[in-house]
């Protein structure tokens, strides 16, 4: 199955908001509310920030929010902080193939 | 406290075999699927496969089917990823992750770096 489409990079200044998109098809993002987002700092394991499109795990800042419209899911980070600079990956359930899950290609967030 | 602890870094030669592990603790190991994820140097995350430790039901990504074997031993709360004949292109960081519910992969191992070089 093909990876979901994310922008390679986004940037913003401290305090601003940024949105990262994740585009798929009706077989994945558009067909199910099973999209999650992962933050990965260099040399570290991924950390879940949002799951089931818009739910935040306990302990994740409410500056992180998720949404979905059609075949595109989005992660919005408000009140940008230096520590938010990282790679972000979306993940979706998919009916393409037998595995059931597919990642996006990843987005590098730079805090200016 | 839930933890997934992976085995240490490996350096292997092409053609050699390898089995790396992911040991779960702090929860009922048989009640959550465990997925394996590859991250090649400087690249993104790729699902390799996922296993239900309770009954060993395993699903593979087409890209990895036949290239690796995923297994689990519930008696020692451990999932495994193995290769029978490594290639240089298998050089990567490998992560295991617990699927708590639906799209929530909430706990990740620290990663195992596999380097394959002659």
């Amino acid at each position: 199955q093909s990876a979901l489409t994310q922008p390679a990079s986004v940037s913003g200044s401290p305090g601003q908001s940024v949105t990262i998109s994740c585009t798929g098809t009706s077989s994945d993002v558009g067909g199910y509310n099973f999209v999650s987002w992962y933050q990965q700092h260099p040399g570290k394991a991924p950390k879940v920030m949002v799951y089931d499109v818009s739910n935040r795990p306990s302990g994740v800042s409410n500056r992180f929010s998720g949404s979905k419209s059609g075949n595109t899911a989005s992660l919005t980070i408000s009140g940008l902080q230096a520590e938010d600079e990282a790679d972000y990956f979306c993940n979706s359930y998919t009916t393409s193939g037998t595995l059931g899950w597919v990642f996006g290609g990843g987005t590098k967030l730079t805090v200016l | 406290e839930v933890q997934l602890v992976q085995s240490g870094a490996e350096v292997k030669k092409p053609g050699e075999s390898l089995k790396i592990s992911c040991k779960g603790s702090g929860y009922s190991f048989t009640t959550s699927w465990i997925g394996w994820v590859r991250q090649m140097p400087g690249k993104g995350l790729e699902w390799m496969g996922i296993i239900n430790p309770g009954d060993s039901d395993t699903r593979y990504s087409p890209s990895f089917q036949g290239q690796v074997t995923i297994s689990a031993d519930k008696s020692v709360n451990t999932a495994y990823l193995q290769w029978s004949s490594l290639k240089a292109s298998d050089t990567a960081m490998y992560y295991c992750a617990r699927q708590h519910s639906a799209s929530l992969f909430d706990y990740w191992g620290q990663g195992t770096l596999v380097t394959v070089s002659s």
Side-chain angles (χ1 to χ4, degrees):
Chain A
Q1 56 257 49
S2 300
L4 307 174
T5 301
Q6 298 183 231
S9 63
V10 297
S11 62
S13 299
Q16 289 186 330
S17 294
V18 295
T19 296
I20 300 171
S21 61
C22 170
T23 301
T25 69
S26 58
S27 296
D28 38 65
V29 175
Y32 308 90
N33 289 326
F34 296 142
V35 177
S36 48
W37 289 89
Y38 298 84
Q39 175 193 66
Q40 187 182 35
H41 287 111
K44 299 295 187 182
K47 173 188 175 184
V48 61
M49 307 305 284
V50 168
Y51 69 99
D52 294 354
V53 174
S54 59
N55 293 320
R56 267 189 315 276
S58 173
V60 172
S61 171
N62 59 9
R63 297 186 300 105
F64 292 84
S65 61
S67 62
K68 190 184 84 166
S69 177
N71 293 337
T72 298
S74 298
L75 175 70
T76 298
I77 309 169
S78 59
L80 267 181
Q81 299 179 359
E83 68 210 47
D84 299 332
E85 183 163 298
D87 293 323
Y88 291 85
F89 297 90
C90 61
N91 177 52
S92 175
Y93 176 74
T94 178
T95 55
S96 175
T98 56
L99 175 62
W101 297 100
V102 61
F103 280 114
T107 298
K108 168 67 178 177
L109 168 62
T110 300
V111 180
L112 301 170
Chain B
E1 178 196 7
V2 174
Q3 282 191 302
L4 294 177
V5 178
Q6 297 185 229
S7 49
E10 301 274 2
V11 179
K12 292 289 192 179
K13 291 183 173 12
E16 291 186 331
S17 63
L18 176 64
K19 190 173 188 177
I20 63 175
S21 65
C22 169
K23 183 174 176 63
S25 62
Y27 73 102
S28 178
F29 188 68
T30 57
T31 60
S32 299
W33 291 69
I34 294 285
W36 284 97
V37 175
R38 182 177 79 174
Q39 188 167 38
M40 298 178 77
K43 302 298 184 182
L45 305 175
E46 302 173 86
W47 285 109
M48 302 177 71
I50 193 164
I51 186 166
N52 179 342
D55 61 8
S56 291
D57 182 10
T58 307
R59 293 107 191 250
Y60 292 93
S61 163
S63 301
F64 294 95
Q65 179 84 49
Q67 308 303 308
V68 298
T69 301
I70 292 170
S71 60
D73 184 344
K74 58 188 177 184
S75 70
V76 291
N77 290 354
T78 302
Y80 303 97
L81 175 65
Q82 68 180 84
W83 297 259
S84 58
S85 181
L86 287 160
K87 310 180 195 63
S89 58
D90 292 318
T91 294
M93 182 70 81
Y94 294 88
Y95 294 101
C96 61
R98 181 183 85 152
Q99 183 183 17
H100 178 60
S101 64
S103 69
L104 177 55
F105 289 85
D106 59 349
Y107 284 92
W108 292 65
Q110 82 277 20
T112 295
L113 180 63
V114 174
T115 303
V116 184
S117 174
S118 55

